[in-house]
Amino acid sequence: MSGVRPGSPRRRSDYAELLSQVRQAGLLERRPIYYGIRIALNAALVVAGWTIFVMVGESWWQLLTAVFLAVMFTQTGFIGHDAGHRQIFRSRRANDLVGLLHGNLAIGLAFGWWVDKHHRHHANPNQEGLDPDISGEAIVFTPAQARLRRGAGRFLARHQGVLFFPMLLLEGLNLHVASVRALFRSSYRERGREAVLLGLHTVGYLAVVIAVLSPLQALAFVVVQQGLFGVYLGLAFAPNHKGMPILAEDDDTDFFRRQVLTSRNVRGSRLTDFMLGGLNHQIEHHLFPSMPRASLRHARPIVRAFCLDRGVPYVETTLLDSYRQAVHHLHTVGRGDQDAEPTGHDESGPAARSGRSLMSDAPSGPGR
């Protein structure tokens, strides 16, 4: 061991070296043609979905349309995600415009609220007290959070492993409610513009559904479409960090290792990239948030080799196994077990144990 403390300048230089390799490979360059085609195709499919909805009219077959639009809402959300990370344009204004149109107007989520929350997650992934995604509001992520629950909350925590996927049916509604609540904050930037777009979406969505379907069919359509929208979003985000190391609030692990150790990749084809919005390359995405989605697959071998050279576990598994690991971890911490540990592992490499133990056990490696 070299005795270099986690978070020291020499460790931070590892990221600068990796960044240089990625930049030299041209993987941080914007992909205007790729995004132009993707945005146009996505918009055409969304319009086609609503056109079919109107043409079919009052029919229970519209539940199939609801499934299709749930998929398209999620795909639209992925584009908004990329815009929030400025993957599409260099200009913040241009990315914000794409984000507002795809978030507020198209699917009814407040873009500014989501960007703020998501950027705080990226800065402190899986770090207690700092990552809003592990705040423990709906599900618990640590035994300490579970032990603080009482009554119905305690019951929910103890059974959250089983209830996790059913709970995703409410995720779409949860995001809509959180968006509206955020717009009531006086400090919210551009809340007037965002409120108008969000209102147009809500009025337009409900007006079309109510005008075309009977009351019972309209209710069923909304429940199916919004429910599956939440499930799809949850299925895309669940593999990324759940079951990976949770860092203490005062943890001083350097940026490179913090992003790698708390993230999990999902192996798969380009179809997997499409279905998960590129988030299956979670390690690369967290290291380089502004990297265009289409470049993440090409960055993977560079990052993986770099991690191997530095003795940093690069966790990668299959989609189904990622869900198994996530659910197992939620079940374990939900019981409040003091010795609950992350379950993430690389099928071809060392197990991920915890942020601090990984740092202390990792070999020094060259260049640190």
Side-chain angles (χ1 to χ4, degrees):
M1 292 293 293
S2 64
V4 179
R5 186 175 63 86
S8 69
R10 288 188 66 195
R11 283 190 182 275
R12 282 195 294 270
S13 68
D14 284 342
Y15 180 73
E17 184 177 340
L18 177 59
L19 177 62
S20 177
Q21 292 183 26
V22 168
R23 182 174 284 127
Q24 289 176 12
L27 298 177
L28 295 177
E29 296 298 321
R30 297 300 184 271
R31 302 284 294 272
I33 296 177
Y34 167 82
Y35 274 112
I37 294 173
R38 178 165 291 282
I39 290 173
L41 180 60
N42 189 83
L45 289 173
V46 171
V47 171
W50 284 116
T51 301
I52 292 172
F53 176 82
V54 173
M55 292 177 63
V56 171
E58 187 174 332
S59 169
W60 286 103
W61 287 106
Q62 294 284 25
L63 295 184
L64 294 179
T65 312
V67 174
F68 175 76
L69 286 173
V71 172
M72 292 316 304
F73 267 42
T74 308
Q75 287 293 325
T76 300
F78 290 153
I79 294 176
H81 168 271
D82 293 359
H85 283 296
R86 302 191 194 179
Q87 296 178 14
I88 303 174
F89 304 104
R90 293 195 179 278
S91 164
R92 174 176 179 172
R93 179 174 298 180
N95 281 301
D96 284 353
L97 177 60
V98 172
L100 289 169
L101 293 177
H102 286 76
N104 295 60
L105 185 60
I107 62 176
L109 300 184
F111 179 69
W113 160 77
W114 177 84
V115 166
D116 174 70
K117 176 177 178 290
H118 195 60
H119 283 188
R120 285 187 284 125
H121 157 70
H122 266 262
N124 308 282
N126 272 20
Q127 192 159 6
E128 290 186 85
L130 298 175
D131 183 356
D133 287 358
I134 62 167
S135 62
E137 292 181 3
I139 60 177
V140 298
F141 292 87
T142 67
Q145 290 177 345
R147 289 191 291 272
L148 291 175
R149 291 287 185 92
R150 295 292 183 271
R154 180 64 180 139
F155 176 85
L156 180 64
R158 289 190 64 86
H159 298 88
Q160 66 180 13
V162 175
L163 296 175
F164 175 67
F165 291 111
M167 286 171 63
L168 291 178
L169 289 167
L170 298 175
E171 181 61 14
L173 175 62
N174 174 58
L175 292 173
H176 292 310
V177 172
S179 294
V180 172
R181 290 176 60 186
L183 290 175
F184 278 96
R185 300 172 190 162
S186 58
S187 59
Y188 194 100
R189 285 184 67 249
E190 305 289 349
R191 67 171 178 165
R193 178 176 63 174
E194 291 211 32
V196 169
L197 291 173
L198 200 63
L200 287 174
H201 166 83
T202 303
V203 172
Y205 178 93
L206 293 177
V208 171
V209 172
I210 293 173
V212 171
L213 302 177
S214 70
L216 186 58
Q217 289 173 348
L219 177 62
F221 177 90
V222 172
V223 168
V224 171
Q225 197 269 327
Q226 292 293 319
L228 293 183
F229 169 48
V231 170
Y232 189 179
L233 279 176
L235 291 177
F237 285 100
N240 304 338
H241 302 284
K242 291 176 177 61
M244 297 304 292
I246 302 291
L247 306 180
E249 187 170 358
D250 61 350
D251 188 277
D252 60 358
T253 303
D254 64 285
F255 177 83
F256 165 63
R257 286 164 178 77
R258 183 167 69 248
Q259 301 299 334
V260 175
L261 296 175
T262 59
S263 301
R264 176 196 294 114
N265 272 15
V266 173
R267 283 194 296 271
S269 65
R270 293 185 185 277
L271 177 61
T272 306
D273 293 357
F274 172 76
M275 293 304 298
L276 298 182
L279 298 177
N280 47 310
H281 302 290
Q282 190 68 192
I283 295 174
E284 290 72 27
H285 172 57
H286 260 258
L287 288 170
F288 311 104
S290 64
M291 179 181 289
R293 190 193 313 182
S295 298
L296 293 171
R297 171 173 288 273
H298 303 290
R300 175 187 171 277
I302 297 175
V303 174
R304 197 174 194 278
F306 190 88
C307 289
L308 179 63
D309 182 60
R310 295 300 186 275
V312 177
Y314 181 98
V315 179
E316 186 176 47
T317 187
T318 64
L319 181 60
L320 290 179
D321 191 56
S322 72
Y323 293 143
R324 182 195 62 78
Q325 293 180 31
V327 169
H328 174 77
H329 178 69
L330 292 177
H331 173 71
T332 303
V333 299
R335 296 200 311 265
D337 293 352
Q338 185 64 42
D339 60 347
E341 292 188 3
T343 57
H345 70 277
D346 181 347
E347 293 177 350
S348 60
R353 298 182 295 281
S354 70
R356 290 193 182 279
S357 64
L358 279 167
M359 292 310 305
S360 61
D361 294 347
S364 300
R368 287 197 297 175

